[in-house]
Amino acid sequence: MKSRSESLIRLKKFQVDEKRRQVAQIEMMIADFERMASELDQQIEIEHTKTGISDVAHFAYSTFAKAALTRRDNLLNSANDMKSKLEAAQDGLAEALEDLKKVELLDQREHQREAAEQLKVEQAEYDEIGRLRFSRQ
């Protein structure tokens, strides 16, 4: 029974670690997307300053700025999409942590029950020793 519960605990810990890695990876991707979008914002502002045209509808608006705006919008959309995936991953992590906690509690109860049984056996042996000593007198 011990090896089975220990194996189950190891499995649950592995699942928790995997979920944590997924959450961390998604958080890193979101941060990267937002950082790149911010850098594009800066480049767009520099381009607006250089050209003196910040109206996207203007006929002479910079093609570089248009492309940067499109890329920035795509990055922000990707970051928003990843945020929903992040929520799902965090929910999965919370669920995996709950499962691990349940298995650890069951294992702890099993160990307590085994310890109580061992104490009963030892007490019965002591009682038998005491009974034998008393009967000899």
Side-chain angles (χ1 to χ4, degrees):
M1 182 69 182
K2 284 185 181 180
S3 65
R4 183 175 158 208
S5 65
E6 289 172 3
S7 296
L8 188 57
I9 289 173
R10 274 197 318 268
L11 172 65
K12 295 297 182 183
K13 284 182 179 181
F14 175 78
Q15 290 172 343
V16 166
D17 290 342
E18 185 61 29
K19 298 289 183 184
R20 279 190 180 129
R21 278 191 292 276
Q22 289 174 354
V23 167
Q25 185 178 24
I26 293 170
E27 287 173 338
M28 189 172 61
M29 290 174 69
I30 291 170
D32 285 344
F33 289 158
E34 290 174 346
R35 178 188 50 76
M36 288 187 285
S38 176
E39 289 172 0
L40 285 170
D41 273 336
Q42 291 172 354
Q43 291 176 359
I44 292 166
E45 284 302 314
I46 292 169
E47 190 69 15
H48 287 172
T49 304
K50 271 199 245 178
T51 62
I53 302 170
S54 60
D55 182 13
V56 180
H58 193 277
F59 74 94
Y61 188 75
S62 168
T63 55
F64 171 77
K66 280 183 187 177
L69 281 169
T70 302
R71 176 124 171 84
R72 182 206 57 198
D73 291 344
N74 288 340
L75 284 167
L76 291 175
N77 288 336
S78 294
N80 287 332
D81 291 343
M82 292 305 290
K83 286 178 183 177
S84 65
K85 290 181 182 179
L86 175 61
E87 288 179 23
Q90 288 170 332
D91 290 345
L93 174 59
E95 190 175 308
L97 283 167
E98 283 181 33
D99 289 346
L100 173 61
K101 204 174 229 184
K102 286 176 187 176
V103 170
E104 286 176 336
L105 284 172
L106 288 173
D107 185 56
Q108 182 182 11
R109 287 180 188 156
E110 180 64 28
H111 285 305
Q112 288 173 343
R113 186 169 52 247
E114 288 173 0
E117 288 175 15
Q118 183 64 31
L119 285 174
K120 283 182 186 179
V121 167
E122 289 175 3
Q123 188 61 46
E125 289 172 357
Y126 292 143
D127 290 348
E128 182 63 22
I129 291 171
R131 190 184 60 78
L132 289 173
R133 281 187 159 186
F134 183 75
S135 66
R136 287 185 190 167
Q137 291 177 356

